[in-house]
Amino acid sequence: MLGVFHAIRYALGMRGPSDEQLMMQYAAGDMAAFENLYDRYRGPLYRYIQRQVRDPATANDLYQGSWEKLIKARKRYKPASPFRAWLFRIAHNHLVDHFRAHRASEPLEPERFVASDPQPSELIDSDQREAQFRSALIQLPPDQRDTLLLKLEAGLGLEEIGRITGVERETVKSRLRYATAKLKRSLMK
């Protein structure tokens, strides 16, 4: 549902230099290259963080913090792995640090999954269907939700998700399979 739109949007944003080329240009001091990367990834990165964090202000802080970490690490970037995997690993690690620091067991609320900008899928689907999806997504175990969002929002492959989350490829496949099955069951009710 969300993944198709984001994949099309990502593909359209890929005209011109590759992400890896832009990051190397930015590491060499080209601010226009950074702005191009920021434009390409601001939506997917923000949605990834927003769907993990309950409070919009916290989501904004974590989003900005992820970009700050990228800026600080720009000289260490190596184009051996895809830029998007590197960016989402930074965001994932930033989220993990946040959750470790704030281990409060607050109840999860579906409202935290409301997207800031309406997407075409939200306009086409009924409000009820969207609320049902958000509710089902929030009920997933955190590892499964994180893996699914890395797949849907970042468009990452199994190996990339495994590197980001620190698990084997088969574990990623298993998490995606369980998350998808649970979402299907919830949405079929």
Side-chain angles (χ1 to χ4, degrees), residues 1-187:
M1 170 170 20
L2 292 172
V4 173
F5 173 72
H6 298 307
I8 292 169
R9 191 165 155 205
Y10 177 78
L12 290 175
M14 287 304 297
R15 295 183 183 147
S18 72
D19 295 339
E20 293 75 20
Q21 291 168 327
L22 288 171
M23 187 60 204
M24 294 304 291
Q25 291 170 1
Y26 171 56
D30 183 350
M31 283 306 296
F34 174 80
E35 290 170 8
N36 198 335
L37 285 170
Y38 184 83
D39 286 344
R40 287 182 185 181
Y41 286 96
R42 68 178 165 202
L45 183 65
Y46 184 76
R47 284 187 301 276
Y48 169 71
I49 292 170
Q50 180 189 36
R51 289 185 168 108
Q52 303 273 356
V53 181
R54 177 180 169 193
D55 177 52
T58 303
N60 285 331
D61 289 345
L62 290 168
Y63 171 76
Q64 291 302 323
S66 295
W67 284 109
E68 289 169 10
K69 287 182 179 292
L70 176 139
I71 290 166
K72 289 178 185 174
R74 70 184 175 272
K75 299 284 185 189
R76 294 190 309 264
Y77 174 73
K78 303 285 184 251
S81 64
F83 169 79
R84 67 184 164 153
W86 186 69
L87 172 63
F88 279 87
R89 180 179 199 111
I90 289 171
H92 170 80
N93 291 342
H94 195 42
L95 280 163
V96 168
D97 291 344
H98 168 77
F99 289 132
R100 282 184 186 144
H102 301 91
R103 289 198 186 250
S105 57
E106 298 179 27
L108 298 176
E109 298 175 14
E111 294 80 39
R112 80 176 219 208
F113 289 103
V114 175
S116 58
D117 295 323
Q119 304 299 319
S121 62
E122 294 168 344
L123 297 173
I124 294 169
D125 293 344
S126 70
D127 290 339
Q128 181 181 13
R129 187 79 172 154
E130 184 67 25
Q132 186 181 13
F133 176 76
R134 287 191 312 266
S135 179
L137 185 63
I138 200 168
Q139 292 176 22
L140 292 174
D143 288 343
Q144 291 175 15
R145 183 176 56 243
D146 188 37
T147 301
L148 184 64
L149 290 173
L150 284 169
K151 181 71 174 161
L152 293 177
E153 294 295 346
L156 299 176
L158 300 177
E159 288 82 15
E160 294 167 319
I161 294 170
R163 282 193 297 273
I164 289 170
T165 59
V167 298
E168 297 295 321
R169 182 181 194 273
E170 291 303 312
T171 303
V172 172
K173 283 174 60 176
S174 176
R175 287 178 181 174
L176 286 172
R177 186 172 45 253
Y178 285 124
T180 302
K182 287 176 185 176
L183 281 175
K184 283 181 184 176
R185 280 194 304 274
S186 293
L187 295 174

